[in-house]
Amino acid sequence: MSDVLHECPPGQGEDPVPPPSRSALDAEAVKVAYRRWAAVYDTVFGGVSGVGRKRAVEAVNALPGTKVLEVGVGTGLALPCYTQNKKITGIDLSGDMLARARERVQKEHLTNVEALLEMDAEETSFADASFDIAVAMFVASVVPHPRKLLSELKRVVRPGGHILFVNHFLAPNGVRGAVERGMARASRSLGWHPDFAMESLLPPDDLARAQIQPVPPLGLFTLVTLDRT
């Protein structure tokens, strides 16, 4: 757990595959937004996102392999839920959020958390095939280039491993879809994209073979599991 209190610079990633057009949200906007949210994140978002996090961790715990990368670890809300045999490396772009995650690790004696690193998920410094599993919780609608995130996770997860996302995705139509599109103008303030379509993350081939499960409350979130071929 010696690396938990250290930061790590980003490495080199692959060129992004251009996703469908959506509101611009760069890394600096994310940092600013989550600096503002850090102190109240657990209270404001912990409840509504709790079921999604629990479902994602349950899925990870049931998979073979021990080395797990949690992308967008935030304040570490999910960390206590992993079984002891899963060895967790968490990364996040927000140093403010990571500071709270480190406090959680120390307070709850989470000895299976091996490192918490400040790192860009689209461009990590990990070697190829470093992990058995990567799980990104509520991150896909935050990063500037979702397809680049996917490519990077495919790089750092070994063949035969697994990549999981739990996220809010745009409703294709109806009242909810209209509301989400209307909220898109506030993306920079929110730090995420209410109008984020699943096709922005998954190319057609991956979308066709992914396991897709709606998650409560009201199916607002979706758990996506993708085998690393």
Side-chain angles (χ1 to χ4, degrees), residues 58-72:
E58 285 175 350
V60 169
N61 287 339
L63 290 170
T66 60
K67 294 185 68 63
V68 177
L69 174 64
E70 184 180 329
V71 180

Side-chain angles (χ1 to χ4, degrees), residues 19 26 33 40 47 63 67 69 82 88 108 112 127 132 139 151 170 182:
D26 57 29
V40 297
L63 290 170
K67 294 185 68 63
L69 174 64
Y82 292 100
I88 313 302
E108 301 192 30
N112 61 327
D132 301 307
V139 172
S151 294
L170 174 68

Side-chain angles (χ1 to χ4, degrees), residues 19-156:
S21 178
R22 62 194 180 100
S23 309
L25 186 66
D26 57 29
E28 189 56 36
V30 173
K31 286 184 178 181
V32 170
Y34 281 88
R35 186 176 302 126
R36 183 167 58 250
W37 285 117
V40 297
Y41 185 88
D42 290 6
T43 301
V44 175
F45 295 108
V48 70
S49 66
V51 176
R53 293 179 194 278
K54 183 179 179 181
R55 292 285 180 87
V57 174
E58 285 175 350
V60 169
N61 287 339
L63 290 170
T66 60
K67 294 185 68 63
V68 177
L69 174 64
E70 184 180 329
V71 180
V73 66
T75 62
L77 281 168
L79 293 177
C81 302
Y82 292 100
T83 53
Q84 195 63 26
N85 70 310
K86 300 300 186 188
K87 306 305 178 184
I88 313 302
T89 296
I91 64 172
D92 203 283
L93 194 60
S94 170
D96 299 271
M97 302 283 270
L98 283 170
R100 295 179 179 273
R102 293 179 183 120
E103 291 174 3
R104 191 185 305 274
V105 167
Q106 292 183 336
K107 181 179 179 180
E108 301 192 30
H109 306 290
L110 304 177
T111 56
N112 61 327
V113 179
E114 296 187 331
L116 294 172
L117 308 171
E118 187 170 337
M119 192 180 296
D120 187 342
E122 294 184 359
E123 205 169 8
T124 74
S125 60
F126 302 119
D128 293 355
S130 292
F131 299 95
D132 301 307
I133 304 164
V135 55
M137 304 189 196
F138 309 105
V139 172
S141 54
V142 171
V143 297
H145 310 104
R147 293 280 182 90
K148 187 174 182 182
L149 168 65
L150 178 62
S151 294
E152 183 67 355
L153 297 188
K154 287 179 177 180
R155 185 185 70 80
V156 302

